[in-house]
């Protein structure tokens, strides 16, 4: 990896023997599919035509959003902020939104 998220590493255009590419790509494919489902529900699927699963030279999965219009990026950012705000309200009320989060101690 070349950064803490692994997205700077070059994508795997030529596969090297001994690198497990399939698990990383499969995870990226599942994640891209989950995102695509939500974009369809929001009517934004046509705004992200370049959404694809990929893998880098180390076999780590990547999800590429592709080139998007500034308006689509702004809308996605506002949806993320709205989700984070809703999650914050729910967790402070003692109702965790995500199974990864624990309810505050009583």
């Amino acid at each position: 990896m070349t950064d803490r998220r692994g997205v700077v590493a070059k994508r795997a255009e030529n596969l090297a023997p001994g690198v497990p590419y399939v698990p990383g790509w499969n995870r990226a494919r599942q994640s891209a599919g989950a995102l695509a489902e939500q974009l369809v529900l929001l009517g934004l699927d046509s705004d992200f035509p370049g959404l694809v699963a990929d893998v880098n030279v180390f076999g780590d999965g990547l999800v590429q959003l592709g080139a998007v219009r500034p308006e689509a990026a702004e809308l996605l950012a506002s949806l993320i902020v709205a989700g984070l705000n809703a999650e914050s309200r729910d967790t402070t009320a003692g109702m965790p939104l995500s199974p990864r989060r624990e309810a505050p101690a009583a």
Side-chain angles (χ1 to χ4, degrees), residues 2-17:
T2 55
D3 72 1
R4 66 186 176 92
R5 293 192 177 117
V7 294
V8 176
K10 292 174 61 175
R11 63 182 291 278
E13 294 182 12
N14 298 312
L15 304 182

Side-chain angles (χ1 to χ4, degrees), residues 54-78:
D54 207 345
V55 67
N56 69 16
V57 293
F58 302 115
D60 302 316
L62 301 173
V63 175
Q64 294 188 25
L65 298 180
V68 297
R69 295 177 304 111
E71 297 83 5
E74 288 172 358
L75 181 56
L76 183 58
S78 67

Side-chain angles (χ1 to χ4, degrees), residues 20-81:
Y21 295 106
V22 174
W25 180 84
N26 192 44
R27 182 159 187 244
R29 183 182 61 83
Q30 291 171 352
S31 298
L35 179 56
E37 286 176 16
Q38 296 306 309
L39 292 172
V40 167
L41 292 174
L42 293 166
L44 298 175
D45 49 315
S46 62
D47 288 308
F48 293 86
L51 177 64
V52 294
D54 207 345
V55 67
N56 69 16
V57 293
F58 302 115
D60 302 316
L62 301 173
V63 175
Q64 294 188 25
L65 298 180
V68 297
R69 295 177 304 111
E71 297 83 5
E74 288 172 358
L75 181 56
L76 183 58
S78 67
L79 289 169
I80 291 169
V81 168

